[in-house]
């Protein structure tokens, strides 16, 4: 049982070490692609993959070969990773706490309004450079092509994703029958051209934010599971670190405190 924690940490880090290889490979594969969306995601994938690789390698070496400094590095990085995930999860819950779909009378789908979302989200999505990246992603994904052949009955009876509702059609309240009444600003941004549609509408930005919000909620749940798992691994790692320190001193209860005692004068006789 004395080396049980070292064995567990060694196997866990061997598993995460092998798991980091396809993550890094996926990031490098995206780096070679010309698609805007994939190049936008490659940096986080590569960072996550290399961080997992480094801490797993340090934990594996430290636990299996009794290298105390490697385990110390492993524990420090693990503590930083736990704190980062915890902060990211709390931040995610704060920025995604606002915003929701609005029911449309006589329709199955919902519509979304940019002003309903958090100020941080709105500031981020309104940045022209950032929105151009997302817009190119939407054009490449052909999301709107899926509903381009819908009939008027389909619009009454079928549901849409938040992106389809905001980007692929004008707001339901728009009236193009020649009325001079004031309308939603997005009504004037709408264009029938497949590469224009409502991609420059606030409703499209709101639809994207709703999709991000739903994905962020799923990611937050995964983060909570990961935090609990990492805390458990960190606790076992602390035990393994203590075992390694004891192995270095060849003394089962820590450092040998008798190291400075000199032998008797007749020791060599």
């Amino acid at each position: 049982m004395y080396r049980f924690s070292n064995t567990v940490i060694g196997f866990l880090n061997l598993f995460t070490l092998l798991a980091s290889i396809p993550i890094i490979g996926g990031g490098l594969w995206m780096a070679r692609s010309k698609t805007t969306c994939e190049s936008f995601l490659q940096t986080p994938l590569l960072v996550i993959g290399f961080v997992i690789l480094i801490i797993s390698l340090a934990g594996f070496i430290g636990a299996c070969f009794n290298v105390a400094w490697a385990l110390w590095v492993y524990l420090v990085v693990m503590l930083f990773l736990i704190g980062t995930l915890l902060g990211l999860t709390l931040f995610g819950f704060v920025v995604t706490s606002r915003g929701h779909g609005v029911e449309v009378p006589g329709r199955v789908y919902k519509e979304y309004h940019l002003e309903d979302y958090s100020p941080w989200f709105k500031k981020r999505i309104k940045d022209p450079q950032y929105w151009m990246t997302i817009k190119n992603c939407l054009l490449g994904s052909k999301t709107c092509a899926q509903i381009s052949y819908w009939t008027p009955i389909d619009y009454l009876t079928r549901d849409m994703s938040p992106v389809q509702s905001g980007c692929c059609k004008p707001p339901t309240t728009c009236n193009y029958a020649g009325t001079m009444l004031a309308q939603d600003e997005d009504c004037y941004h709408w264009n029938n051209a497949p590469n224009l549609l409502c991609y420059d509408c606030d409703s499209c930005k709101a639809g994207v934010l709703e999709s991000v919000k739903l994905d962020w909620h799923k990611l937050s749940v995964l983060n909570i599971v990961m935090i609990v798992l990492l805390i458990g691994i960190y606790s076992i790692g602390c035990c393994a670190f203590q075992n390694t320190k004891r192995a270095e001193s060849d003394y089962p209860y820590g450092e040998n405190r008798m190291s400075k005692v000199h032998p008797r004068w007749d020791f060599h006789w």
Side-chain angles (χ1 to χ4, degrees):
M1 295 297 292
Y2 177 63
R3 297 295 181 196
F4 179 72
S5 58
N6 293 62
T7 304
V8 172
I9 284 294
F11 274 112
L12 287 174
N13 284 284
L14 179 62
F15 173 76
T16 54
L17 181 66
L18 295 175
S20 68
I21 295 175
I23 296 176
I24 296 173
L28 292 175
W29 179 80
M30 288 181 178
R32 297 179 58 189
S33 175
K34 301 300 183 181
T35 306
T36 306
C37 300
E38 292 178 347
S39 63
F40 178 71
L41 293 173
Q42 73 183 6
T43 301
L45 271 179
L46 288 173
V47 170
I48 291 172
F50 278 113
V51 168
I52 293 175
L53 177 67
I54 291 170
I55 64 173
S56 299
L57 188 61
F60 180 77
I61 293 173
C64 295
F65 299 98
N66 293 322
V67 182
W69 68 265
L71 270 179
W72 182 84
V73 171
Y74 170 75
L75 292 175
V76 170
V77 177
M78 277 282 286
L79 189 61
F80 174 77
L81 185 60
I82 291 171
T84 301
L85 281 176
L86 185 60
L88 182 64
T89 302
L90 293 175
F91 176 76
F93 278 122
V94 170
V95 299
T96 60
S97 60
R98 297 175 56 181
H100 55 83
V102 178
E103 299 284 349
V104 181
R107 302 290 194 277
V108 179
Y109 58 81
K110 296 180 180 179
E111 291 188 336
Y112 305 89
H113 304 290
L114 189 59
E115 61 270 14
D116 293 338
Y117 292 86
S118 67
W120 185 87
F121 255 164
K122 288 188 291 186
K123 181 180 179 181
R124 181 74 170 164
I125 204 74
K126 285 183 176 181
D127 178 34
Q129 214 169 13
Y130 184 73
W131 179 247
M132 184 58 66
T133 302
I134 297 176
K135 182 178 176 180
N136 290 334
C137 290
L138 295 175
L139 288 169
S141 67
K142 302 186 183 301
T143 302
C144 293
Q146 300 172 13
I147 66 171
S148 59
Y149 297 105
W150 279 16
T151 65
I153 299 298
D154 291 326
Y155 281 94
L156 292 173
T157 58
R158 298 179 65 175
D159 198 6
M160 298 182 187
S161 68
V163 172
Q164 288 174 333
S165 176
C167 305
C168 305
K169 65 170 188 58
T172 307
T173 56
C174 293
N175 188 334
Y176 296 103
T179 179
M180 298 300 293
L181 295 176
Q183 301 191 76
D184 190 315
E185 191 68 28
D186 286 344
C187 297
Y188 305 106
H189 291 156
W190 164 258
N191 193 299
N192 282 325
N195 63 330
L196 296 176
L197 299 180
C198 216
Y199 289 122
D200 290 320
C201 299
D202 284 348
S203 63
C204 186
K205 296 180 175 69
V208 171
L209 289 184
E210 183 65 20
S211 297
V212 172
K213 174 185 171 181
L214 296 175
D215 290 339
W216 210 328
H217 282 174
K218 296 175 185 176
L219 182 61
S220 296
V221 173
L222 179 62
N223 281 347
I224 292 173
V225 174
M226 285 297 298
I227 289 170
V228 173
L229 181 63
L230 288 175
I231 289 175
I233 295 175
Y234 183 81
S235 302
I236 300 173
C238 290
C239 297
F241 179 70
Q242 292 298 323
N243 290 343
T244 302
K245 292 293 290 182
R246 291 168 185 168
E248 282 187 347
S249 63
D250 288 324
Y251 194 72
Y253 299 103
E255 296 254 352
N256 189 344
R257 301 181 183 278
M258 300 295 290
S259 59
K260 293 185 179 180
V261 176
H262 298 287
R264 300 194 318 270
W265 64 274
D266 58 344
F267 179 76
H268 297 287
W269 286 79

